[in-house]
Amino acid sequence: MAVEKARGILLDIDYLMEEKSIIRLFIKTKKKTLVLRDPSFEPYFYLVVSGNAREAAKKIMEEDFYGVKVTRVEVVKKKLSPEKEPREVLKLFFNSTKEVKEMRNRIKELPYYEEKREYDIPFTKRYLIDRDLQPMSEVEVEFEGSELRSIRVCGDGLQELKAGAFDIETLSGLTFSDPSKDPIIMASFTNGKKSVVFCTKKIEKKYAVLVRDEKELIERLIERIRELDIVVTYNGDNFDFPYIKERAKRLGLKVEIGVDGSGITVKRKGMDNAVKIKGRQHIDSFQIVQILNRFGIVNLVKMDLEAVDKQLFGEKKEKIHASEINEIWHSGKGLERLAEYNKLDSEVALRIAKEYLPLFVEIGKLVNQTPFDVTRSGAGILVEAFLIKKAFAQGVLIPNKPSEEKVRMRIMQPIKGGYVREPKPGLHENLAVLDFTSLHPTIIISHNISPDTVNCNHKECEKNVSPEGQHFCIKRKGFLSANIEEIFHKRKELKDSLKKLKKGSREFNLVYARQYSLKIILNSSYGTLAFPRFRWYNRDCARAVTAWSRKYVKWVSERAEEEGFETIYGDTDSAFIKIPKGKTQTDVKEFVEKINSELPGVMNLELEGFFKRGIFVTKKSGKEAAKKRYALIDFNGNLKIVGFEYVRRDWALIAKETQRKVIEAVLSEGNPAKAVQIVRETIKKLKSGKMEKRKLVILTQIKKPIAKYESIGPHIAAAKKAIAKGKPLGEGSIIGYIVTRSGKSISGKAQLEEYVAEGNYDAEYYIKHQVIPAVIRIIAELGYSEEDLIEGGKQSSLNSFM
DNA sequence: TAATTCGCTAGACCGA
DNA sequence: TCGGTCTAGCGAA
């Protein structure tokens, strides 16, 4: 057979489990997706032996491991740890991944066994790292029939892949949809250019397609999914795909949507599923939104498509609840509305993916993983994957995962965190906020912190000592510090080149996503040292990082005071300073420059901004000032509210709104009398019974199984009452409740919002437990008391402000 | 399967 | 009915 050549995008990877485990690559060329096998890559792990490695290599080939055979052994030179000299170790090859799993337990019995390494790296991940292949990159392949002969990355992979999204609507019983009886009644599909809605009932919409029955509906949908390289859903992992799979099974249909004709695989991932389609990338936009939320790129309480659409794109999409879907279906009235809703669900899911997938593709290239995996991984996993890749490239064996026992030990010894300075309470004028850019990573880089540099034996390194006493080598760059440094500089370069590119251009977006992917890895890097389950966990290193962070933050404050500024506050990586009369903003800038000239390595203090006014309040209990809550206003009138009830979801909107107005009156207008007036009016309206229901809802999440609660708070009480009515609530549900007039305790009065009539609320509760607590300590800073807020109360202290 | 610590506040719970 | 203690949730960084 002749050798053929092709170019395409490395779209996916999996492996076959025949008598041998064989890697398959899915390469999307202009014409089709090639499925190529690479039998040249065999499962393996490392065995470190006591005594002579070559002799052990001979012996091990003769060993019988209850039927498992080492097919091949290589003696290779590897570093057991970055600071050590390379040493000969055995690389043991096997026919299948199954044998790797069996063997890694049996091997311990060998007399020359010292240690095993890298026995738990998933086969496909192993392949991508060893071959240094970046999914979604352009590759050039040579192949014979279906066998791969060679592969190399030759470009960024800017070729357009076909992306599309779908969404299904189902009927439901009393509480939820059950695929064993509730049919799929509608399904939408979009490829970004054109959308269709399949339905078994006739709908007066241009995009609607009438199908005979549910079976045809699924068939038509599958047909469309087969066009795609990137299949987007919103919660397809846990709902759409498992649902379709079950319905199809009952209808005698096969969901053969893999490029190779295979079905879908539903993998359990803890509490979650992950649905994989071979040869295509299934991207669940819901997973994307969850990750964005965790990384702090967006901040969402509710994560339904409506809330996401609103926050990400500013759109207002209608929500149709499950019960209404049943109604519409049975009455036949409103099918157009439902179709529109269904269609938009697909379109918004696709839009989310189009907006953020480039970021995940870039992260994937950085850590050699597919977008499928990256969009379903936590930050820690990504950093770990990055370090595994680096270790491989540098000939270092990666550390093993800690045993559960070790993990428990580590958890029992927590690592002290950042320093929070007690603020000076009150209203302050003319502030500057300074903060360290990427504090933890820059400390790691600048002090060369790494598990392989801590407490080295060199005398001259003892001067690089942390406030907690550990010192770090200065003669050799550490594994962790060097690799983080590389990311740090690469990001700097990319950010520089970004300045030269046209905003919104394809090139710009690519570079932007790339630098952002580096930022995510960088910001998560400290976690590798401090997280008990990580391979690179190191308590001494982690303690040193935070100890230095505390030192530097305190030091900046001290230096500021020496320079004649007043320090108001500081948290972990920041210093809030007051510019006194006689000093200017320029003086602050000069101060920052001075500090930077004194800081080591790449550490950098940044001027975050100047603020016209700021308020810090005392704690409810005691006289000390509250940390982690303050409000600032800049010279353009922009408010920054931190930590206060206003930013918390577990407070009623009326309390939050009132607090915001009060803060605004105080900070922007310097008008405490107005603030008092605002509160009085709110209280008046609450008393009148006319407050809108939506402003009284308190959102709280159920964080664990209901049965495990020792103390029944209002949200659990409300949830229990709702469950009794047949509402499916449990761990993870967000409860929106209102404190009504009927009941004894607060919990007794709490009811799920949807069961509460407009006007049924406990005014006293909302006044005394919501509005007043939210504003009292702000107003108290200005000399007012609680009586001043209640209408008819005395206004004596007002004078002190006039 | 999986990031952390620091901090604030509410409301239940419990015994006097 | 009170005041202290504990459980619980969420936000800052």
Side-chain angles (χ1 to χ4, degrees), chain A residues 538-555:
Chain A
N538 187 294
R539 187 154 195 275
D540 277 323
C541 292
R543 286 173 68 210
V545 174
T546 54
W548 256 310
S549 84
R550 292 189 294 273
K551 190 198 105 171
Y552 285 117
V553 167
K554 286 180 194 167
W555 175 75

Side-chain angles (χ1 to χ4, degrees), chain A residues 188 190 195 197 207 338-348:
Chain A
S188 62
T190 182
S195 307
V197 170
Y207 52 76
L338 184 60
E340 190 68 20
Y341 168 76
N342 182 219
K343 172 170 155 281
L344 268 173
D345 275 357
S346 288
E347 289 171 353
V348 176

Side-chain angles (χ1 to χ4, degrees), chain A residues 122 158 656:
Chain A
L158 287 172
K656 302 203 282 182

Side-chain angles (χ1 to χ4, degrees), chain A residues 10-13 121-130 132-137 281 283 359-377 381-389 521:
Chain A
L10 176 53
L11 187 58
D12 195 19
I13 177 168
I121 317 288
F123 194 39
T124 54
K125 294 187 179 179
R126 180 85 266 181
Y127 182 86
L128 292 168
I129 286 170
D130 288 23
D132 197 19
L133 295 173
Q134 288 90 36
M136 310 307 271
S137 292
Q281 289 290 308
I283 301 299
L359 170 63
F360 292 96
V361 166
E362 288 309 315
I363 297 175
K365 287 182 184 171
L366 188 64
V367 304
N368 291 29
Q369 304 297 332
T370 60
F372 174 86
D373 283 320
V374 172
T375 53
R376 291 168 178 80
S377 306
I381 299 297
L382 299 177
V383 177
E384 194 174 81
F386 173 75
L387 292 176
I388 290 174
K389 172 182 169 176
I521 300 294

Side-chain angles (χ1 to χ4, degrees), chain A residues 496-509:
Chain A
D496 284 341
S497 65
L498 215 47
K499 289 175 196 154
K500 293 170 208 140
L501 295 168
K502 203 176 139 213
K503 225 174 174 176
S505 68
R506 187 165 201 168
E507 185 78 13
F508 181 94
N509 292 341

Side-chain angles (χ1 to χ4, degrees), chain A residues 225-369:
Chain A
I225 294 172
R226 282 212 194 99
E227 296 169 7
L228 304 174
D229 304 312
I230 296 171
V231 183
V232 178
T233 60
Y234 198 77
N235 206 21
D237 275 350
N238 289 296
F239 184 73
D240 300 61
F241 270 125
Y243 209 96
I244 289 174
K245 196 177 177 184
E246 181 62 25
R247 290 306 294 172
K249 198 173 125 199
R250 286 172 181 271
L251 296 166
L253 266 175
K254 289 206 170 120
V255 190
E256 290 165 339
I257 50 176
V259 165
D260 59 347
S262 60
I264 57 173
T265 8
V266 183
K267 268 194 218 160
R268 297 291 300 168
K269 270 198 159 186
M271 302 265 296
D272 266 5
N273 290 329
V275 172
K276 189 162 165 56
I277 309 168
K278 289 176 187 278
R280 309 181 205 280
Q281 289 290 308
H282 168 217
I283 301 299
D284 186 338
S285 286
F286 179 62
Q287 305 283 3
I288 288 188
V289 171
Q290 279 191 314
I291 291 180
L292 295 176
N293 225 6
R294 255 181 276 143
F295 289 165
I297 299 171
V298 298
N299 184 14
L300 285 154
V301 180
K302 266 173 119 182
M303 290 205 276
D304 61 15
L305 264 178
E306 289 69 32
V308 174
D309 197 26
K310 194 174 165 202
Q311 202 196 315
L312 294 184
F313 310 119
E315 307 272 351
K316 212 169 152 91
K317 179 177 172 300
E318 186 199 19
K319 168 102 186 173
I320 302 185
H321 289 97
S323 57
E324 214 181 336
I325 294 176
N326 280 349
E327 260 173 57
I328 291 172
W329 190 250
H330 292 125
S331 70
K333 278 177 207 154
L335 280 169
E336 287 70 30
R337 243 180 83 214
L338 184 60
E340 190 68 20
Y341 168 76
N342 182 219
K343 172 170 155 281
L344 268 173
D345 275 357
S346 288
E347 289 171 353
V348 176
L350 185 60
R351 195 169 170 193
I352 296 166
K354 287 213 161 156
E355 184 84 16
Y356 291 100
L357 199 53
L359 170 63
F360 292 96
V361 166
E362 288 309 315
I363 297 175
K365 287 182 184 171
L366 188 64
V367 304
N368 291 29
Q369 304 297 332

Side-chain angles (χ1 to χ4, degrees), chain A residues 702-709 730-732:
Chain A
I702 299 180
K703 304 278 282 186
K704 55 185 182 186
I706 296 212
K708 288 201 175 166
Y709 278 85
E731 191 176 355

Side-chain angles (χ1 to χ4, degrees), chain A residues 13 15 88 123 132 185 205 241 340 349 373 452 504 586 668 684 725 746 786 797:
Chain A
I13 177 168
Y15 69 93
E88 288 192 330
F123 194 39
D132 197 19
I185 52 169
K205 286 278 184 187
F241 270 125
E340 190 68 20
D373 283 320
D452 50 287
T586 314
S668 83
K684 197 171 156 193
K725 291 185 194 177
I746 294 169
E786 192 167 332
S797 51

